Amino acid sequence: KYRGRFDLGWDKAREEILSRQKKLGIVPANAVLPPRPAGLPAWDSLSDADKKMAARQMEAFAAELDRADQEFGRILGTLKKLGEYDNTIVVVLSDNGASAEGGPEGTFNEAYFFNAKSATNEINRRFYDEWGGPGTYPHYSAAWAMAGNTPFKYFKQTVHEGGTHDPLIISWPRGIHAAGGIRSQFHHVNDIMPTLLDLAGITPPTQVDGIVQQRVDGISMRYSLDHPQAPTRKGAQYFEMYGNRGIWADGWKAVLAHNTQPWTLFQQRPVSDDGWELYHLSTDFNELHD
């Protein structure tokens, strides 16, 4: 189904993705792409053989996502048959930005990454025909992750926006009447549970079976459902992953990048070499101006 769909390559793909995002109104009309991250090749620099291999990686990933979408559709279809769909809160989100663990050339087996190894296209081509089947555990090139994170910098494992700024869709036909509405308030994954409890009218107990419960860190996003332009009620939010760390507050984000190349996760260096970056996300949403 997806054969040939990604022959355009990652550089052209992210240009097209950005164009669609602007038409949807989910990024500013004047948004521009950040530079290609260091260590990733331009699509036009690849040989024909390497382009073919790279396109196959994304074809298989798209097919996998398509299949997951079909199965998710079966769940929604069943809810409709049961008459429960209108009163079901559905939350769809990703857990992080697109992953670059495949490295610049991708890998037929992600276990390579977990053992601090990198696959080459010479090795990957041996698995071209079975890529995505049970004989592989594949991961696409980090350059496809770059395209998947359009229009942000970097990837999963970093705490720049490419690692932490994710899509979130909430549907509840009976309770949310602004279908198709867009919200831009800053929130974090720890706000999901408080939102669901709030919408369901549940106050979390302070004790369960005599055991004092952990404090809930997040806040409800319910206010944003009825008031699209309301300022965010979120306080400061800290991020950290594999030495990369950052903090958001009042529309500003300070980021300290320890390693922006996740495929080199096991190459350690002193944290004293790190330097802070500061971005005003309210006017520079994809961190172009330090």
Side-chain angles (χ1 to χ4, degrees):
K1 182 176 178 179
Y2 289 96
R3 195 176 299 278
R5 289 284 299 276
F6 299 96
D7 290 352
L8 76 170
W10 40 68
D11 292 318
K12 184 67 175 177
R14 70 175 187 153
E15 291 176 4
E16 293 188 0
I17 292 168
L18 179 62
S19 177
R20 288 196 297 271
Q21 290 172 332
K22 290 180 179 180
K23 290 178 181 177
L24 288 169
I26 58 175
V27 303
N30 61 351
V32 297
L33 293 169
R36 186 186 306 106
L40 299 184
W43 180 262
D44 289 342
S45 72
L46 302 182
S47 67
D48 288 345
D50 287 350
K51 287 179 180 178
K52 180 180 178 181
M53 186 69 253
R56 175 68 166 180
Q57 296 169 5
M58 197 62 186
E59 290 168 1
F61 176 77
E64 177 187 21
L65 189 60
D66 187 316
R67 176 57 181 267
D69 194 46
Q70 292 178 45
E71 299 305 306
F72 184 59
R74 291 178 62 203
I75 297 174
L76 298 184
T78 299
L79 287 170
K80 291 177 181 178
K81 291 178 181 178
L82 295 173
E84 298 289 348
Y85 176 76
D86 285 348
N87 197 36
T88 297
I89 301 170
V90 178
V91 180
V92 180
L93 73 160
S94 68
D95 59 340
N96 39 244
S99 171
E101 293 164 7
E105 297 184 66
T107 179
F108 76 97
N109 189 336
E110 194 178 3
Y112 264 45
F113 166 77
F114 298 123
N115 287 278
K117 297 177 65 177
S118 297
T120 64
N121 275 328
E122 182 180 4
I123 297 173
N124 288 334
R125 276 192 286 271
R126 302 175 195 168
F127 298 89
Y128 179 88
D129 290 332
E130 56 183 301
W131 196 276
T136 63
Y137 179 33
H139 199 302
Y140 55 33
S141 164
W144 283 124
M146 169 191 69
N149 287 330
T150 301
F152 300 120
K153 281 184 177 179
Y154 305 127
F155 329 94
K156 170 188 173 183
Q157 295 189 18
T158 73
V159 298
H160 283 75
E161 294 295 274
T164 64
H165 194 141
D166 303 315
L168 168 65
I169 301 169
I170 302 178
S171 170
W172 181 25
R174 184 176 295 180
I176 301 174
H177 305 295
I182 298 174
R183 302 293 181 269
S184 58
Q185 292 88 350
F186 177 92
H187 278 282
H188 186 62
V189 67
N190 60 16
D191 299 326
I192 297 292
M193 186 185 75
T195 301
L196 293 175
L197 292 175
D198 188 8
L199 294 177
I202 297 173
T203 300
T206 56
Q207 293 189 19
V208 175
D209 293 335
I211 299 174
V212 176
Q213 298 298 287
Q214 179 178 324
R215 175 175 60 90
V216 175
D217 290 328
I219 68 170
S220 173
M221 294 181 279
R222 184 173 192 163
Y223 73 93
S224 69
L225 303 181
D226 297 324
H227 303 286
Q229 305 305 320
T232 184
R233 297 180 183 178
K234 188 71 171 178
Q237 178 63 52
Y238 179 69
F239 302 89
E240 181 174 340
M241 192 150 195
Y242 295 118
N244 297 308
R245 50 241 196 248
I247 188 166
W248 177 96
D250 299 324
W252 291 83
K253 186 177 178 184
V255 186
L256 201 154
H258 182 62
N259 180 13
T260 58
Q261 296 185 336
W263 58 92
T264 62
L265 175 64
F266 299 97
Q267 297 179 19
Q268 301 296 325
R269 65 182 181 84
V271 293
S272 57
D273 292 347
D274 300 339
W276 283 98
E277 303 166 24
L278 180 64
Y279 300 99
H280 191 203
L281 294 189
S282 295
T283 57
D284 178 24
F285 84 110
N286 60 344
E287 301 168 316
L288 296 182
H289 308 290
D290 180 6

